[in-house]
Amino acid sequence: MIAAHQLAVPFGLAPGLDLAIEAGERVAILGPNGAGKTTLIRALAGLQPLRGGEVRLDGRPLTAWSARERARRLAWVPQDTDAAPDFTVGEVVALGRLPWRRGWRGPTPADAAAIARALEHAGLTALADRPLARLSGGERQRVVFARALAQTPAVLLLDEPTAHLDLAHRAGLLARLAGTDASLTVVAVLHDVNLAALYFPRLVLIAGGRVLADGAPADVLTPALLEAAYGVPVRVLPHPETGTPQVLAPAP
Amino acid sequence: MRRALALPVAIAALPVVVALACAVGQEPVALGDAARALLGLDVDADTRLVVLDLRLPRVALAATIGAALALAGAALQGLFKNPLADPYVLGISAGGALGAALVLVFGAAGVVAAPPAGAFLGAAIAAVLVWRLAQVGGVMPLGGLLLAGVALGLTLSAALSAVLLAARERAGDVLLWLMGHLGGARWSEVGAVAICLAVGAALLLSKVSELNAFLLGEDVAASLGVPVERTKARVLLATAVLVAGAVAFSGLIGFVGLVVPHAVRFATGADHRRLLPVAAFAGASTLILADLGARSVVVGELPVGIITGALGGPFFLVLLRRSLRA
């Protein structure tokens, strides 16, 4: 679906990074600060100038796609959601239809339906007319999520979508993400390894601009790999309900 | 509700303001008679002369220039996501001012059309300069464009000061020209500004959704399929045409391009699909009223730039206080 071949980005990724993601996969990219997670997700989104290698979407190099065609297949949720406080929720989500607009025509029934579904899925239907300035941080992050869903993409890329949220809002957003249509391919950079293990079947651990491990949570979240990535000894315990590995920081 | 009503209200207000401005003056005309003259209905010859030949060209010039400045200001505030951006922030107006001053001081004495031509040429050269200076390898970072514009503006203003100092005996005329003037407007001037307004408005109004996407950040705009560099170049070209036209025929009229878009945003929100058309109509009405003030406050006439500054500044502060409290 989307694949990186021999990527190289100066001061971001070590030369020769490979990563292939199949249609419908749910992948979380983990790693310490400065590991190259954001660079990688931006490269997948086509927003990062490359020194070498290429990203392919549907087997075709990203550079061969027009910006508009690409935006119909691929949506991106940034780390810092630039506040545009005078916009209403509905106006921002409607911008997700921009790549589908043709000429001077107004919104089509398909546009309206996609916007309504995105608002519904993000739990924002009741807030559609509210200005962004009067939303909480958690609600605002859901607006960005809904805007990306309104694009009706095949691939959804998210760069730390839960960075500024509390535990409940983090889990809530990841649950909404998990509840999207099964055909949607999702790649998310996450800081929270424990929530990543609970919500994503495939984890990619990055350190120093290289892929250190790639696989199911049980294969990636091992004490040895985590210490190699983060540089601190950690404990890994099974989640009491699911048995999914959960990581504990070392006791002081 | 308020958002949907803003455009009809702004459109409806303009003819009322035009009629008012055509009625008020040294030879007062009844508002009804002014309206009848404007509509081409039967009125006496004196009224028709005063309204259609003396006042209407000036009112029309004020309207087109006010609309051009408000459009340019609204677009640049959106592009830079900077509430302090105004039509003059890119140094294009400083180029126009310098061009007009050079013509007024050094050449073409008696050629009436010369200062506008000099101003337009100066503004065009400044626009090309700022575009070239801010662009590296086909990419024009917005922060760099803003700084290049400000620096170019300061440089050209210094050159203008040098010109004024070198020709002190003409400095008074030049300053009066620069402070903003709409007196003695002719239909040919209105036509020239109207062409600039039409070109600039067409370039901007066909990119309102792209401007909206820019408000979410340049990267988000790119991820939404907006050709960001082409859009930036287009907004730069549109504002250059609008500002060059306005400066060439009226000097530097301040605050309309800064305050009107902010005031309009209170009614329309940030969506450029509503903001730009409403700002154009509101800018037209605002400058007509400011010019009406300029020619009615005292015997003789104040430069309209003094009125827009004197009223626009405090008005802006009131809006600012309101939004800070909200």
Side-chain angles (χ1 to χ4, degrees):
Chain A
M1 188 73 200
I2 186 162
H5 291 288
Q6 296 293 306
L7 282 196
V9 177
F11 311 110
L13 299 176
L17 188 140
D18 281 310
L19 182 67
I21 290 154
E22 301 306 320
E25 270 201 287
R26 306 290 167 115
V27 183
I29 297 173
L30 308 172
N33 290 331
K37 306 186 296 291
T38 291
T39 310
L40 176 58
I41 199 93
R42 286 176 58 88
L44 292 177
L47 296 169
Q48 178 72 47
L50 303 176
R51 167 73 56 84
E54 65 179 12
V55 173
R56 290 187 176 191
L57 177 63
D58 296 334
R60 190 147 65 101
L62 264 195
T63 46
W65 291 71
S66 79
R68 211 174 139 82
E69 268 183 310
R70 193 181 70 203
R72 292 179 174 190
R73 292 288 285 168
L74 195 145
W76 179 66
V77 172
Q79 194 172 79
D80 289 310
T81 51
D82 252 307
D86 297 329
F87 272 126
T88 65
V89 172
E91 285 167 347
V92 172
V93 176
L95 277 175
R97 298 309 293 169
L98 197 53
W100 297 95
R101 201 190 43 164
R102 285 180 192 280
W104 282 90
R105 285 232 311 264
T108 62
D111 290 331
I115 293 165
R117 261 201 318 275
L119 285 169
E120 171 85 46
H121 192 88
L124 291 168
T125 308
L127 302 179
D129 291 327
R130 189 171 293 186
L132 253 47
R134 294 195 4 239
L135 296 184
S136 71
E139 288 164 342
R140 215 170 296 168
Q141 192 61 49
R142 262 152 52 205
V143 174
V144 184
F145 174 53
R147 195 259 301 143
L149 286 184
Q151 264 174 276
T152 55
V155 180
L156 178 58
L157 305 172
L158 307 97
D159 188 3
E160 287 183 34
T162 60
H164 306 293
L165 305 183
D166 64 31
L167 179 63
H169 280 102
R170 262 185 282 167
L173 189 73
L174 292 181
R176 287 179 197 278
L177 190 55
T180 49
D181 196 278
S183 64
L184 180 67
T185 308
V186 177
V187 185
V189 167
L190 289 177
H191 254 310
D192 191 324
V193 287
N194 292 333
L195 284 176
L198 289 173
Y199 285 98
F200 288 83
R202 179 179 169 193
L203 307 181
V204 175
L205 182 62
I206 302 226
R210 293 169 209 287
V211 175
L212 210 61
D214 181 351
D219 301 324
V220 173
L221 298 186
T222 66
L225 284 169
L226 289 166
E227 189 172 347
Y230 291 92
V232 288
V234 296
R235 296 282 305 280
V236 179
L237 300 172
H239 190 283
E241 287 166 25
T242 59
T244 318
Q246 296 285 288
V247 179
L248 287 180
Chain B
M1 195 58 199
R2 192 168 62 163
R3 290 178 183 227
L5 275 178
L7 187 58
V9 168
I11 293 174
L14 185 57
V16 177
V17 170
V18 169
L20 182 71
C22 286
V24 177
Q26 275 188 341
E27 289 293 328
V29 172
L31 190 57
D33 287 344
R36 287 173 62 82
L38 287 169
L39 291 171
L41 300 174
D42 191 33
V43 284
D44 64 77
D46 281 354
T47 302
R48 186 177 303 126
L49 175 78
V50 168
V51 170
L52 295 184
D53 296 343
L54 296 180
R55 290 188 187 143
L56 188 58
R58 180 172 181 155
V59 168
L61 187 64
T64 47
I65 285 174
L69 291 175
L71 261 181
L76 289 174
Q77 285 165 7
L79 184 71
F80 290 119
K81 288 198 294 175
N82 187 329
L84 282 177
D86 76 356
Y88 303 152
V89 78
L90 290 176
I92 295 166
S93 53
L98 181 60
L102 285 173
V103 171
L104 284 166
V105 167
F106 292 115
V111 184
V112 205
F120 197 89
L121 190 64
I125 291 171
V128 172
L129 265 179
V130 76
W131 177 63
R132 292 299 301 256
L133 286 170
Q135 207 180 39
V136 181
V139 176
M140 187 164 60
L142 285 174
L145 176 62
L146 192 55
L147 288 176
V150 169
L152 182 69
L154 289 173
T155 312
L156 294 173
S157 298
L160 175 64
S161 301
V163 169
L164 290 178
L165 205 58
R168 246 172 280 193
E169 68 288 352
R170 299 273 296 148
D173 293 346
V174 178
L175 281 178
L176 210 56
W177 194 93
L178 291 179
M179 269 190 248
H181 55 276
L182 294 161
R186 282 183 312 264
W187 283 114
S188 59
E189 298 176 345
V190 175
V193 179
I195 290 170
C196 292
L197 176 61
V199 171
L203 284 170
L204 290 177
L205 291 175
S206 57
K207 289 291 164 213
V208 280
S209 297
E210 285 78 357
L211 276 170
N212 283 346
F214 263 88
L215 284 182
L216 302 181
E218 220 176 302
D219 281 341
V220 172
S223 81
L224 284 169
V226 173
V228 288
E229 295 305 327
R230 238 190 305 152
T231 305
K232 281 188 257 183
R234 194 180 177 117
V235 173
L236 181 57
L237 176 66
T239 51
V241 171
L242 291 168
V243 171
V247 173
F249 294 99
S250 69
L252 302 177
I253 296 175
F255 278 97
V256 175
L258 175 69
V259 175
V260 169
H262 282 296
V264 168
R265 243 179 235 111
F266 277 98
T268 62
D271 189 340
H272 286 88
R273 286 174 300 179
R274 292 209 186 86
L275 171 63
L276 289 190
V278 177
F281 281 98
S285 292
T286 302
L287 195 55
I288 294 171
L289 289 174
D291 185 50
L292 181 58
R295 60 187 165 88
S296 2
V297 273
V298 280
V299 189
E301 192 172 314
L302 272 179
V304 65
I306 292 183
I307 299 280
T308 57
L311 297 180
F315 177 70
F316 185 61
L317 288 172
V318 169
L319 284 185
L320 181 67
R321 292 293 303 171
R322 260 184 51 184
S323 71
L324 287 178
R325 270 197 296 268

